[in-house]
Amino acid sequence: MSEHVHQTHDAIVKRLKRAEGHLRSITSMIEARRPCVDIAQQLHAVEKAICQAKRTLIQDHLDHCLEDSVTLDSLASLAELKQLTKYL
């Protein structure tokens, strides 16, 4: 398998590492019996961070991998797919 790195990969890794640390702190919050509303709020923040990392990765792949491998006939379909992925 060849190396597959894009400009956004470093930012995605940083985002995921922050989410990982945040998730560990949420575990501590649960163990400390913190209020459920506080825990839910923090879980929501982690969920959003992970979703944004996923969205960034998918958009990056579409822009830099799939776009290079499509034919002229399928460019319109790819453009439509790119629009749809914004709603992930």
Side-chain angles (χ1 to χ4, degrees):
M1 180 179 268
S2 64
E3 186 175 289
H4 190 78
V5 178
H6 295 292
Q7 234 176 359
T8 58
H9 284 186
D10 288 340
I12 291 169
V13 168
K14 285 179 188 176
R15 182 183 303 268
L16 291 173
K17 285 182 178 184
R18 276 194 310 274
E20 181 182 25
H22 204 155
L23 194 55
R24 278 194 298 275
S25 71
I26 294 168
T27 301
S28 297
M29 290 173 71
I30 293 169
E31 292 170 345
R33 310 269 193 261
R34 295 278 304 272
C36 290
V37 173
D38 294 346
I39 295 166
Q41 180 182 26
Q42 296 306 311
L43 283 168
H44 180 72
V46 169
E47 180 183 31
K48 290 301 231 179
I50 292 170
C51 285
Q52 185 58 43
K54 176 184 71 172
R55 183 177 292 117
T56 301
L57 181 75
I58 290 169
Q59 287 292 324
D60 196 20
H61 183 70
L62 286 170
D63 289 340
H64 298 102
C65 296
L66 294 183
E67 200 167 80
D68 293 341
S69 66
V70 297
T71 64
L72 289 176
D73 293 335
S74 59
L75 279 177
S77 296
L78 180 60
E80 184 177 341
L81 180 60
K82 284 182 179 184
Q83 287 294 330
L84 283 173
T85 61
K86 293 178 183 178
Y87 300 107
L88 285 174

